Amino acid sequence: MESTKEVVLITGGSSGLGKATAVYLTARGYKVYGTTRNPKKYAGFDQFPLLAMDVREEASVKAAVAELVQREGRIDILINNAGVGITGPLEETPHDAILDVFETNFHGPLRVIRAVLPHMRAHKKGFILNITSLAGYMGLPFRGIYSATKGALELATEAYRMELREFGIRMSCLAPGDYATNIASGRFHSPLLEDSPYRKVYGNSLELMNQHVSEGKDPNQVARKVFKILQKRAPRVHYTVGSPLQKFSLFLKKMLPDKIYERLLLNHYKL
């Protein structure tokens, strides 16, 4: 039997931005399901249902989507939120770690989109919101791989929107800045090698990046932004949410010559 409420699937819903968004939308009348790789770790969790899903594995994604459709009859909204961080000098970051982050941050959302599209197409409607990052708009020092994964998702979203237009399915991106979540603790950090030529500058940048996250804004700001986007009849391609300074940096990137903007980043990261 189909739900009378709009059914929302949020990947990576057990913590951070995903959890904040799921709680916020549940309180506003949506039927929200979150996902996590291991729901057994959250025994007693009752704020909204959690489905088992590892976005890196095709079978896991298909099984979770099938379970949700069996329970609710449809999926109206997909929020691709699951993601992991990675830091390190590009030269020294192990390639296996690079591939692993792309599996979660880029290939993962594509897998989930592929799994939900046939169900949305059957109902001739649906909305997909890909959570990217302000870091995806620029190559940040010692966060280059993370920037690349999020930038790739932004571009894929642009293409997907046009391909899905005739089916009544909409798609947008939301790029947050730094928010107080546990992403820093879950990041892959390339080790600070004693003999590395990057040891000093990478070590200083790592401290600065962690400080930005720990001093980040309330994740409910992102949840409120998601809710506003869901109310739009014709959502834009790209949305951002973050501090005024972070959003102003995007404006500067568009307006300034590349080398001047690069100098601003070098100064910001004390390089």
Side-chain angles (χ1 to χ4, degrees), residues 10 16 48 98 119 127 148 150 201 203-204 216 221 239 248 250 261:
I10 302 180
F48 51 87
I98 293 172
H119 304 288
F127 180 55
K150 294 301 188 176
V201 290
N204 292 341
Q221 286 187 3
Y239 291 91
F248 185 59
L250 300 186
Y261 188 77

Side-chain angles (χ1 to χ4, degrees), residues 21-237:
T21 301
V23 170
Y24 193 88
L25 295 182
T26 297
R28 279 146 189 83
Y30 290 88
K31 183 63 176 178
V32 180
Y33 285 78
T35 76
T36 184
R37 278 184 279 181
N38 185 9
K40 292 179 180 178
K41 289 174 58 178
Y42 301 92
F45 185 95
D46 60 0
Q47 293 171 287
F48 51 87
L50 281 174
L51 302 174
M53 180 193 288
D54 186 339
V55 299
R56 301 170 301 176
E57 298 180 4
E58 192 89 18
S60 176
V61 170
K62 289 181 176 179
V65 169
E67 181 180 351
L68 178 50
V69 172
Q70 183 178 28
R71 290 193 194 187
E72 301 293 343
R74 68 182 194 278
I75 299 173
D76 299 302
I77 297 164
L78 165 64
I79 301 175
N80 269 315
N81 167 76
V84 293
I86 182 170
T87 65
L90 284 165
E91 180 185 353
E92 295 179 353
T93 303
H95 203 72
D96 285 349
I98 293 172
L99 294 175
D100 188 59
V101 172
F102 265 96
E103 279 297 313
T104 300
N105 291 4
F106 181 66
H107 298 293
L110 295 186
R111 289 188 186 95
V112 185
I113 291 168
R114 279 197 298 268
V116 304
L117 280 180
H119 304 288
M120 290 183 170
R121 196 156 34 233
H123 286 82
K124 299 180 180 178
K125 68 183 183 71
F127 180 55
I128 298 169
L129 183 63
N130 295 320
I131 306 299
T132 57
S133 172
L134 293 181
Y137 286 85
M138 61 200 76
L140 296 177
F142 306 111
R143 293 179 69 189
I145 298 304
Y146 183 75
S147 291
T149 64
K150 294 301 188 176
L153 187 55
E154 290 270 346
L155 293 179
T157 300
E158 292 180 2
Y160 240 138
R161 273 177 63 98
M162 294 182 279
E163 294 175 8
L164 296 174
R165 187 170 180 269
E166 65 174 302
F167 306 122
I169 301 170
R170 302 164 299 156
M171 189 182 292
S172 298
C173 289
L174 173 60
D178 290 322
Y179 283 88
T181 70
N182 61 351
I183 189 171
S185 63
R187 271 189 194 136
F188 174 85
H189 295 295
S190 293
L192 278 168
L193 303 175
E194 288 292 338
D195 59 349
S196 170
Y198 305 100
R199 179 170 176 76
K200 182 178 179 180
V201 290
Y202 173 42
N204 292 341
S205 295
L206 200 54
E207 290 180 12
L208 191 61
M209 284 184 273
N210 289 337
Q211 179 183 335
H212 288 165
V213 172
S214 64
E215 295 175 354
K217 303 294 184 182
D218 180 1
N220 280 310
Q221 286 187 3
V222 177
R224 289 192 291 270
K225 185 71 172 183
V226 170
F227 178 67
K228 288 180 180 179
I229 295 170
L230 296 186
Q231 309 311 301
K232 305 288 186 184
R233 296 183 64 181
R236 302 199 311 262
V237 184

